Amino acid sequence: MKELQEIYLTKISEALNRLSVCERLIDLHSKSNDIYELESAALQIRKALEAVAFAAIAPNKIEYASFRAGAERNPDYTKDYNARSILQFLTKVNADFYPKPISGPISKGPGKWHFDRRDDSSLTKKQFERFYDRLGKHLHSDNPWGTDKGLINIVKDISKTIASTRLLLSLHFTTIRTTEFTGIWVVEAPNNGNPPKIITGQADGDFVVT
């Protein structure tokens, strides 16, 4: 589990770093109106979302690999790269895998802590998938006979998605149901440059996430 947690934290750190690069590129674009800076920003936020998807595989790695091995086409999970497809595969392995935002811990007695759920503008799974797909067409040179891809209109939505992704990752939990471990990882991923960290919460048996 330690190795998988390290992978999770490494990919979450990568996502945050790419979001920071994306913010700098958007800022540059706002001053220069350079289309290449904007396209580079689109690439970085798409890779940031991919890093989040790869992180999500880590606690479900064995089950995910087994599920992917049963596919008729491209059964090797180590060659997966499309974040939307990864999320769809993970849903079949563990319906509660997607990070859920929570607030800071509340003491409930010696050694007991409670985390409330946050109802805010954190990036949802549906928003993740929709925006990831939308970014895809901006990773290629324009077909001169095609229609306008609306790249300029995406600036505001990139900034909005950066904020909602940071909010989601800042403090969240991911649910794990495997033959070896049932419980959650509580993950703190601050936006101040400090490294993310994990608290493990193990359940005595199966449980319901509401």
Side-chain angles (χ1 to χ4, degrees):
M1 177 171 292
K2 182 179 179 181
E3 178 185 356
L4 295 175
Q5 288 184 341
E6 288 176 352
I7 292 173
Y8 191 95
L9 295 177
T10 296
K11 298 310 291 185
I12 292 299
S13 292
E14 178 190 334
L16 293 175
N17 290 336
R18 290 190 182 279
L19 291 177
S20 294
V21 173
C22 186
E23 286 173 323
R24 293 198 295 270
L25 288 165
I26 289 294
D27 182 59
L28 289 171
H29 171 74
S30 69
K31 300 170 183 176
S32 67
N33 204 33
D34 188 327
I35 192 66
Y36 301 120
E37 290 168 348
L38 181 53
E39 289 178 337
S40 296
L43 173 63
Q44 288 303 319
I45 193 170
R46 184 171 160 106
K47 285 193 171 187
L49 294 177
E50 288 169 351
V52 173
F54 283 130
I57 292 177
N60 304 282
K61 178 188 173 186
I62 295 175
E63 287 72 17
Y64 184 86
S66 176
F67 175 80
R68 292 288 293 108
E72 293 184 3
R73 296 180 58 188
N74 306 319
D76 184 358
Y77 82 101
T78 66
K79 296 180 181 178
D80 288 351
Y81 68 92
N82 185 283
R84 188 176 189 276
S85 296
I86 290 172
L87 264 56
Q88 291 177 337
F89 294 147
L90 280 168
T91 300
K92 297 181 183 299
V93 170
N94 175 6
D96 297 315
F97 82 91
Y98 192 78
K100 295 175 177 59
I102 53 177
S103 57
I106 301 171
S107 177
K108 292 294 184 178
K112 296 182 180 180
W113 298 92
H114 173 75
F115 295 84
D116 280 328
R117 295 281 291 273
R118 275 189 287 123
D119 184 12
D120 54 23
S121 57
S122 293
L123 188 72
T124 67
K125 180 173 175 288
K126 183 177 292 186
Q127 290 169 337
F128 181 121
E129 294 175 339
R130 185 183 301 121
F131 195 67
Y132 180 81
D133 281 350
R134 183 180 169 192
L135 290 167
K137 62 184 177 181
H138 300 301
L139 305 183
H140 311 284
S141 178
D142 292 347
N143 184 324
W145 300 279
T147 57
D148 179 17
K149 295 186 296 188
L151 183 61
I152 301 301
N153 298 328
I154 207 171
V155 176
K156 183 173 70 174
D157 290 334
I158 286 179
S159 297
K160 180 180 178 182
T161 302
I162 290 173
S164 62
T165 304
R166 285 191 180 279
L167 189 59
L168 171 66
L169 298 180
S170 62
L171 188 60
H172 66 274
F173 75 89
T174 183
T175 302
I176 306 165
R177 293 188 179 91
T178 68
T179 55
E180 298 180 350
F181 179 87
T182 301
I184 63 170
W185 290 352
V186 176
V187 183
E188 182 182 18
N191 295 313
N192 58 8
N194 290 335
K197 53 188 177 181
I198 290 178
I199 298 174
T200 302
Q202 188 165 4
D204 295 330
D206 199 10
F207 57 96
V208 176
V209 178
T210 58

